[in-house]
Amino acid sequence: MRSKGTLGLLIVLLLVAFGGCAGCSTYNSLVAEEEIVNEAWGNVESTYQRRAELIPNLVSTVKGAANFEQETLSAVTNARARATSINVSAEDLSDPAKLRAFQEAQAELGSSLGRLLLVAENYPELRATEAFRDLQTQLEGTENRINVARTRYNEAVRTYNTKVRSFPAAIFAGLFGHSARPSFQADPGAEQAPTVDFSS
């Protein structure tokens, strides 16, 4: 009888030890995935920061063009100020409203930059300057980097969210405060193709 009790206790201890090891492993993998999401978010912020840093040089270059539309320049400057005033930390990534506000401000800045570059088409002397062409090229490259960084962030979020919602990790995720993170969504109206008019 005694050996059966000892064997039963040993089995219980082994199960507890196995469960503890599995729990530690799951927790550690959740932390690792969360750090990958945080790193991807840092890369997104870095690329948006690069764009924000290019804008003052672009605005200064454009101001040099005679009679350039002041309203367009003001819109870019105001959109940049709004976009750089919204900060989303790694801890805020669980809040879809904060991420949406950040995304909306960045979309507004992108839209105002697009209008600025479109209006610049009416100023051949501006487009001919090397400084403007260089800044335009840098902005185009930065927009591509932003797209890549957002895509990588979404991939990291998908992997993390899958882990957080999968069994048995979901149990440990709930116990230790790991929750799903929102991903970047397409900007409103992105599903509609732009209208191109060659008549003018």
Side-chain angles (χ1 to χ4, degrees):
M1 286 293 207
R2 194 170 200 189
S3 64
K4 283 187 178 183
T6 305
L7 182 61
L9 181 60
L10 183 61
I11 290 172
V12 168
L13 288 175
L14 284 173
L15 288 174
V16 168
F18 176 75
C21 288
C24 287
S25 174
T26 301
Y27 175 79
N28 289 339
S29 66
L30 284 169
V31 169
E33 293 296 335
E34 186 175 47
E35 288 304 314
I36 291 170
V37 170
N38 293 344
E39 177 186 18
W41 176 250
N43 292 337
V44 167
E45 285 184 312
S46 175
T47 54
Y48 277 123
Q49 181 64 37
R50 175 179 162 76
R51 177 174 72 175
E53 290 169 357
L54 288 172
I55 291 171
N57 292 334
L58 180 66
V59 169
S60 294
T61 302
V62 170
K63 276 183 180 177
N67 302 321
F68 195 85
E69 297 179 20
Q70 196 59 36
E71 182 181 330
T72 304
L73 289 173
S74 295
V76 170
T77 304
N78 293 338
R80 180 187 181 273
R82 181 170 181 265
T84 56
S85 71
I86 297 176
N87 296 313
V88 178
S89 68
E91 293 79 33
D92 295 332
L93 291 177
S94 296
D95 185 350
K98 287 184 179 182
L99 189 61
R100 188 170 37 258
F102 177 86
Q103 186 175 348
E104 287 171 0
Q106 294 299 334
E108 179 186 342
L109 178 55
S111 176
S112 66
L113 271 174
R115 281 192 303 277
L116 174 87
L117 294 175
L118 186 64
V119 169
E121 293 294 318
N122 297 326
Y123 296 84
E125 72 282 356
L126 173 63
R127 288 183 295 132
T129 64
E130 186 177 342
F132 181 78
R133 285 194 318 266
D134 288 348
L135 286 167
Q136 190 173 15
T137 300
Q138 287 183 45
L139 275 172
E140 289 169 358
T142 300
E143 292 299 326
N144 288 336
R145 286 186 185 106
I146 288 170
N147 188 43
V148 169
R150 285 173 54 153
T151 299
R152 289 182 179 160
Y153 172 78
N154 281 349
E155 289 168 357
V157 166
R158 178 187 46 78
T159 301
Y160 174 76
N161 287 349
T162 300
K163 183 159 228 117
V164 165
R165 296 177 59 217
S166 299
F167 183 81
I171 295 168
F172 294 102
L175 288 173
F176 295 110
H178 293 274
S179 58
R181 301 284 177 92
S183 58
F184 274 101
Q185 305 296 318
D187 295 330
E191 70 281 355
Q192 297 174 357
T195 304
V196 179
D197 183 7
F198 293 109
S199 61
S200 55

